[in-house]
């Protein structure tokens, strides 16, 4: 896998005097101060110190080797955009630097590629220059995040983005010409405050205007500097979208729906922020971008990602895999020869990729999955990973159980609605068989955790408090769904209002137990009784079961459902028992982190049954 840096800049060693060429003042020019060093001037104003990596491919390649970078996608610097100037001047400037970029790439031994720039104040001219550049070998375009008062949702700019998608051009959005400069005269605030806000504004404009609804999914667009403040403030945006009609704009879906429509680069300079960005945007949406070789760029390109504790697969995606997709590259040819621009152009266009393909990893979200284990112990205790993974696998199986048991409920409802048809009954029995097999695995799985010594668990146990199995929302959901409803257990979910609301819903809706006996009523096996006496009702239900077993010839399918439910009940008790044995083996009779008396409390749950009538019926049976 190639390591690709998609955000870095160049300046040619020299270029014609633009003020003279266009007859207007204050164009950028380069002042060489000493060997390998220069200043960028705008008119007679100092703009930035730069060094030879900007124009000398040898220096650049050496530093890429030093940092383990295979490929850099160079782009000019926003100070050259010239969006505020007459379009023909901006076009002339763009052409000059676009050709200079290709010339630099042609001396880059196949390890440099480029993004062009366009006169975005004139959409036709911008589209034409983009097409010319794509034919000449650029991989896409770098655009400023606004053109004067126009944000990226401007209809003309959206048309241009459409054209980029048609041309297969990758688009890098770079903040520039920062807002409110008069209020940010000091401390480089235009860079540290203005740029992130500018970028956020661009993303928000594209989302809320509905532009992403209209633009083709083939558009590959990336926002520099981690997307500015967008990810951090997504919650605020989402909240406004849901609660204030005026904040909704014209997009069809809430803002978070559009996260898979764009990329952001990794230029955030801090691991916590990088992790947050990856969590928010997804592991497939963040690309290595360094802002090299400018003073605020990453000093050792890629060191933030490489040195982070992200999973290796995630690092691989961020360092190159995602960039391959963003740039539309297939496997990159590595050319050690000096190649002329025209040949480089051909090589570039040959590398334009087929559409994105589903892979094992992208389908199963393997990188995301492997990113979800975060030990609390520091340094991480060896066994904490096992502890986390075992719990996570339980939760995944709980999810599947809920999925299947909900389907069992739906099938039993169908059986009630149409007592003549046996389809629902067969299907319910089939799915229940799956549930029992899963639960069998869940009982077995405790043995893996028992390979952990009690001393090893105690070494990190205090880091887990006050987290406790009591807070397993899905376990409680399973109990409520099957019919064991204990409202008191809701208190453990107060800190998580969504879980609390879901459990409340489960508490109120008819359970599997209710639906099963309603079905027996529907097929005439359980007479509607006027009795309000719980015991009498219970006995009536047990007798209904009994009557099924006594008429095996006619009710084989229903008996199958009863047997599966009994087995499920039995296996859940086995799960409770094995859990208690594990608890005793690991922490003896210590209290639980959830505040219970531990094993002695858990033993009280052993008598719990989902379908006690199925067991009672056994007592009532006679030979
Ligand atoms: C070292 C391993 C484990 C220990 C020491 C342990 C300990 C405990 C304790 C003491 C409780 C009682 C509640 C409390 O006071 O916190 C409990 C409850 C619970 N644990 Fe575990 N547990 C372990 C592993 C697991 C695993 C692997 C699961 C799998 C999901 C699990 C799921 C649960 C559930 C769902 C409850 C609530 C049970 C109920 O309310 O009936 N535990 N655990």
């Amino acid at each position: 896998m190639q390591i690709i840096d998609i955000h870095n800049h160049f300046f040619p060693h020299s270029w014609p005097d633009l003020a003279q060429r266009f007859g207007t003042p204050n164009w950028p020019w380069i002042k060489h101060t000493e060997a390998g060093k220069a200043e960028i001037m705008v008119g007679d104003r100092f703009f930035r110190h730069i060094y030879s990596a900007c124009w000398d491919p040898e220096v650049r390649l050496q530093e890429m080797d030093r940092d383990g970078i295979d490929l850099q996608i160079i782009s000019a610097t926003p100070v050259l955009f010239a969006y505020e100037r007459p379009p023909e001047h901006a076009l002339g400037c763009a052409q000059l630097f676009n050709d200079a970029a290709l010339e630099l790439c042609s001396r880059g031994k196949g390890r440099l590629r480029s993004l062009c720039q366009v006169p975005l104040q004139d959409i036709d001219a911008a589209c034409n220059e983009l097409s010319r550049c794509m034919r000449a070998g650029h991989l896409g375009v770098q655009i400023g995040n606004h053109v004067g008062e126009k944000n990226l949702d401007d209809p003309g700019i959206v048309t241009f983005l459409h054209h980029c998608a048609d041309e297969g051009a990758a688009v890098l959005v770079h903040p520039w010409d920062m807002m409110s400069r008069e209020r940010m005269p000091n401390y480089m605030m235009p860079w540290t405050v203005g740029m992130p806000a500018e970028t956020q504004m661009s993303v928000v404009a594209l989302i809320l205007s509905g532009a992403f609804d209209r633009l083709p999914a083939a558009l590959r667009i990336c926002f520099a500097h981690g997307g500015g403040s967008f990810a951090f403030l997504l919650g605020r945006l989402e909240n406004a979208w849901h609660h204030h009609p005026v904040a909704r704009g014209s997009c069809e879906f809430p803002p978070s729906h559009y996260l898979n429509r764009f990329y952001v680069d990794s230029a955030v300079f801090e691991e916590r922020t990088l992790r947050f960005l990856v969590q928010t945007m997804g592991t497939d949406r963040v690309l290595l971008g360094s802002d090299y070789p400018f003073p605020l760029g990453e000093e050792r390109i890629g060191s933030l990602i490489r040195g982070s504790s992200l999973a290796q697969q995630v690092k691989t995606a961020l360092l190159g895999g995602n960039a391959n997709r963003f740039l539309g590259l297939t496997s990159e040819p590595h050319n050690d020869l000096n190649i002329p621009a025209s040949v480089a152009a051909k090589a570039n266009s040959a590398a334009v990729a087929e559409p994105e393909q589903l892979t094992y990893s992208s389908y199963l979200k393997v990188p995301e999955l492997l990113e979800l284990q975060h030990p609390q112990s520091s340094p991480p205790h060896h066994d904490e990973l096992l502890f986390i993974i075992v719990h996570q696998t339980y939760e995944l199986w709980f999810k599947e159980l809920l999925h299947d048991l909900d389907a069992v409920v739906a099938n039993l409802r169908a059986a009630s609605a149409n007592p003549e048809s046996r389809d629902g009954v067969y299907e319910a029995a089939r799915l229940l068989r799956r549930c029992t097999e899963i639960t069998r695995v869940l009982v077995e799985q405790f043995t893996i955790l028992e390979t952990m010594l009690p001393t090893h668990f105690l070494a990190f146990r205090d880091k887990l408090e006050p987290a406790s199995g009591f807070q397993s929302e899905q376990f409680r959901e399973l109990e409520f769904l099957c019919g064991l409803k204990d409202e008191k257990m809701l208190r453990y979910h107060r800190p998580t209002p969504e879980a609390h609301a879901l459990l409340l819903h489960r508490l109120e809706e008819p359970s599997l137990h209710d639906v099963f006996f309603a079905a027996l009523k529907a097929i005439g096996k359980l007479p509607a009784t006027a009795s309000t006496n719980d015991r009498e009702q219970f006995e009536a239900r047990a007798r209904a079961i009994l009557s099924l077993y006594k008429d095996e010839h006619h009710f084989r399918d229903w008996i199958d459902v009863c047997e599966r439910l009994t087995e499920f009940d039995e296996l859940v008790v086995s799960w409770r028992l094995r859990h208690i044995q594990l608890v005793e083996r690991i922490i003896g009779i210590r209290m639980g982190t959830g505040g219970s008396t531990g094993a002695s409390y858990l033993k009280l749950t052993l008598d719990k049954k989902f379908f006690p009538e199925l067991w009672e019926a056994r007592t009532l049976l006679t030979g």
Side-chain angles (χ1 to χ4, degrees), residues 81-101:
F81 283 160
Y83 292 166
E84 73 288 4
R85 295 178 184 268
E88 57 280 13
H89 294 183
L91 175 62
C93 175
Q95 287 173 337
L96 192 86
F97 287 95
N98 290 341
D99 295 348

Side-chain angles (χ1 to χ4, degrees), residues 382-394:
H382 180 84
D383 282 2
E384 195 179 346
L385 184 65
L386 173 78
F387 186 80
I388 294 172
I389 288 180
V390 167
H391 279 83
Q392 287 182 337
T393 38
Y394 270 106

Side-chain angles (χ1 to χ4, degrees), residues 10 12 57 74 94-109 112-116 129 132-140 339-346 348-349:
F10 79 101
I74 62 170
Q95 287 173 337
L96 192 86
F97 287 95
N98 290 341
D99 295 348
L102 282 183
E103 195 278 327
L104 190 71
C105 290
S106 73
R107 292 185 287 130
K109 303 188 176 169
L112 301 179
R113 299 288 172 79
S114 53
L115 302 177
C116 65
E129 178 59 6
R132 182 188 81 87
C133 287
M134 291 304 285
R135 282 197 302 276
H138 288 272
L139 291 179
I339 47 171
S342 57
V343 181
K346 266 196 173 164
N348 271 347
S349 50

Side-chain angles (χ1 to χ4, degrees), residues 8 127 183 266 471 570 572 612:
N8 55 86
C127 290
R183 290 190 53 221
S266 64
Q471 294 160 334
E570 196 175 64
V572 172

Side-chain angles (χ1 to χ4, degrees), residues 275-351:
R275 297 189 75 92
F276 175 75
L277 198 59
V278 169
Q279 269 168 16
T280 307
M281 294 298 302
T283 54
D284 56 343
R285 292 282 144 191
V286 183
L287 317 171
L288 169 60
S290 66
D291 223 348
Y292 167 95
F294 290 158
L296 286 189
E298 193 176 24
E299 257 181 40
R300 289 284 183 273
I301 311 167
S303 58
L304 176 64
I305 297 174
R306 284 200 173 100
S308 74
S309 57
L310 291 165
Q312 191 48 51
Q313 273 182 292
V314 178
K315 290 184 188 178
T316 307
L318 267 57
L319 287 169
N322 296 341
N324 261 322
R325 265 182 295 113
F326 167 63
L327 297 165
L329 299 176
T330 48
S331 54
E332 285 281 44
H334 200 98
N335 189 346
D336 285 335
L337 303 169
N338 277 351
I339 47 171
S342 57
V343 181
K346 266 196 173 164
N348 271 347
S349 50

Side-chain angles (χ1 to χ4, degrees), residues 535-550 612-623:
R535 182 67 209 169
E536 281 172 18
Q537 286 185 3
F538 174 80
E539 283 168 4
R541 290 196 295 270
R543 280 196 302 278
I545 306 280
L546 187 66
S547 70
L548 293 175
Y549 278 83
K550 286 200 155 170
E613 299 87 346
L614 287 167
W615 299 89
E616 177 73 7
R618 267 112 180 123
T619 314
L620 298 179
L621 274 171
T622 51

Side-chain angles (χ1 to χ4, degrees), residues 387 391 394 468-470 475-476 576 579 582-583 592-596:
F387 186 80
H391 279 83
Y394 270 106
S468 150
F470 273 158
F475 179 81
R476 207 59 69 200
R576 294 186 198 277
H579 176 245
L582 166 82
V583 172
T593 44
S596 81

